[in-house]
DNA sequence: TATTATTTCGAACAGCTGTTCGAATTTGTC
DNA sequence: GACAAATTCGAACAGCTGTTCGAAATAATA
């Protein structure tokens, strides 16, 4: 006569989605299993049954959100094969921000990465190889092209390229943090065109920055 | 016959410094009073005696580190009164990074801010007025000058200025996060000249970005 | 030295944490 | 419908959390 799991489509899936929101909001350590289960309308022991651990749940969340992210917003999102470096650069930033700010239901993908950046939990290293490294290498290729274009006379300086990459990612991740903070204090959600506008402005800013780095001498 | 507090210069001060390190490392919520007291060689009840709360300790840490920061690395660090906007901009970024990456003993000041950015604890709002807002307004003035210089024909667009500010701060905070992560995985500490080099590269990048934003039309 | 206030300590507290376990329930297969 | 496997549940667990409290120790004052 008590709660029958009829109205749902799998406790497992509900747990992953609830956990994604909570983990993205509080980080791994501060998030509690009980809060997750409450949001998922499941008992606390369900986590251990389906995922063995709180950590196992965390990994599952990462895997789930990563699969969703690369499927819905791949790095070359919305552009063709023969696109210019600028276009690919813009597409990369757009998809990055849409992954973290969009209202698609697992919109917490980017914020998970942001949380891990601020407070690495140890689980990160397991998924870093499958999530962060490919992203970083993809961006590296674009930046190298941009630098080479700006200064064809010599090979891009690896140090400068790395710095430019970090600056771009830093701007994007800061947007995720700032938005999360602002929305908690009662700011409206950004809709899709606004996110794209924001992405394009960051693109413009970063292109200017990369040019400034590329055209300068190696050392001051 | 037991531990006599002779060898120290005040439990209170030791607690604040130990707490600074731990809070900067784990954030407010994940840091534990017991770990702090262990590092400070004090009993757990000392926190409640001197600071009433864990939260009170946190506020004391902020106040302490803020006072240290503005004294040792003010925003106009190392430049004279009649400096150009570029020089003031560079000085701002240098002091920001030195506050968070330097090896001065409360080097955790910047990381505290970074932690609060990633996971606002509620205490932040109390200190935001005294720490973040002045910093933001100072930076705002510089960026406005830079934009006006680039495009004297019209007043700086407030939206663009805000975005440029966020981008600059985002790059700097990301450096703090990235460094903390890299150092945990066994990377060497940056020494002072390296930090200054890094600051100057970020300065160059950001100047290029600001110029790109300033010279572009308001809307695409 | 006697007396008072300040500081420190360890033990104990209630509450929350992740996890385990057996019973109850649902689902799948014949 | 009968049986077995998979799933869900609530209760209970040991461990850690921040905090409290009275006693012990120190410092200050006379």
């Amino acid at each position: 006569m008590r709660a029958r799991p009829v109205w749902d489509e799998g406790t497992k899936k509900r747990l992953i989605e609830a956990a994604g929101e909570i983990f993205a909001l509080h980080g791994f350590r501060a998030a509690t299993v009980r809060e997750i289960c409450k949001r998922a309308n499941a008992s606390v022991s369900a986590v251990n049954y389906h995922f063995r651990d709180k950590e196992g749940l965390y990994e599952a969340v990462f895997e789930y959100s990563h699969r969703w992210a690369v499927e819905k917003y791949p790095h070359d999102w919305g552009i063709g094969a023969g696109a210019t470096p600028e276009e690919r650069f813009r597409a990369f930033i757009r998809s990055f921000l849409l992954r973290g700010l969009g209202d698609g239901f697992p919109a917490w993908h980017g914020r998970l990465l942001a949380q891990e950046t601020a407070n690495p939990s140890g689980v990160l290293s397991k998924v870093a190889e499958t999530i962060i490294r490919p992203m970083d290498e993809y961006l590296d290729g674009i930046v190298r092209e941009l630098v080479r274009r700006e200064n064809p006379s010599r090979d891009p300086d690896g140090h400068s390229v790395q710095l430019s990459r970090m600056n771009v990612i830093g701007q994007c991740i800061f947007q995720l943090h700032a938005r999360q903070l602002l929305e908690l204090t009662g700011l409206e959600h950004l809709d899709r065109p606004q996110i794209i506008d924001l992405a394009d402005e960051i693109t413009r800013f970063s292109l200017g920055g990369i040019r400034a780095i590329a055209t300068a001498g190696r050392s001051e």
Side-chain angles (χ1 to χ4, degrees), chain A:
Chain A
M1 190 182 304
R2 218 187 319 91
R4 18 174 169 22
V6 169
W7 45 279
D8 66 308
E9 43 164 343
T11 317
K12 200 169 176 179
K13 190 177 179 185
R14 265 184 301 124
L15 274 175
I16 289 185
E17 289 170 6
E21 297 183 45
I22 305 296
F23 281 139
L25 205 57
H26 301 316
F28 174 72
R29 203 166 161 183
T32 71
V33 175
R34 278 177 171 80
E35 186 181 359
I36 292 172
C37 292
K38 189 177 175 185
R39 175 173 299 225
N41 270 101
S43 76
V44 282
S45 44
V47 166
N48 306 90
Y49 176 77
H50 285 287
F51 306 98
R52 196 194 70 237
D53 261 335
K54 181 186 181 185
E55 204 170 296
L57 173 59
Y58 195 60
E59 291 178 25
V61 165
F62 259 99
E63 188 184 327
Y64 178 83
S65 88
H66 176 60
R67 181 162 32 216
W68 169 85
V70 296
E71 179 184 324
K72 183 154 186 183
Y73 295 115
H75 294 142
D76 58 351
W77 174 74
I79 59 168
T84 66
E86 280 87 355
E87 286 169 328
R88 292 167 61 208
F89 189 60
R90 179 190 316 269
F92 176 86
I93 294 179
R94 282 186 176 182
S95 65
F96 189 99
L97 287 186
L98 282 167
R99 280 199 292 261
L101 295 177
D103 49 357
F105 82 92
W108 29 263
H109 171 84
R111 302 187 204 223
L112 273 179
L113 251 66
Q115 283 285 358
E116 275 295 323
T117 308
N119 261 315
S121 73
V123 180
L124 173 69
S125 52
K126 290 187 182 178
V127 288
E129 292 297 314
T130 55
I131 298 184
I132 294 186
R133 183 177 295 256
M135 187 178 76
D136 208 41
E137 285 179 356
Y138 181 81
L139 182 57
D140 185 79
I142 297 179
V143 173
R144 287 197 118 80
E145 276 192 64
L146 290 169
V147 171
R148 209 190 317 269
R149 172 105 78 79
E150 210 63 54
N151 193 346
S153 64
R154 67 155 187 270
D155 264 5
D157 173 18
H159 178 69
S160 301
V161 173
Q162 187 198 9
L163 181 81
S164 295
R165 263 187 294 142
M166 291 179 79
N167 285 349
V168 173
I169 299 292
Q171 293 172 61
C172 293
I173 285 188
F174 185 75
Q175 288 295 330
L176 305 190
H177 283 149
R179 268 296 138 185
Q180 175 171 326
L181 175 58
L182 291 178
E183 282 171 15
L184 279 181
T185 62
L187 207 76
E188 79 289 358
H189 208 70
L190 286 185
D191 59 8
R192 190 187 181 88
Q194 286 176 311
I195 296 172
I196 291 182
D197 278 350
L198 176 63
D200 290 353
E201 289 183 282
I202 291 182
T203 302
R204 194 198 308 278
F205 186 98
S206 295
L207 283 175
I210 292 175
R211 171 176 305 168
I213 293 280
T215 56
R218 182 198 216 90
S219 62
E220 191 154 344

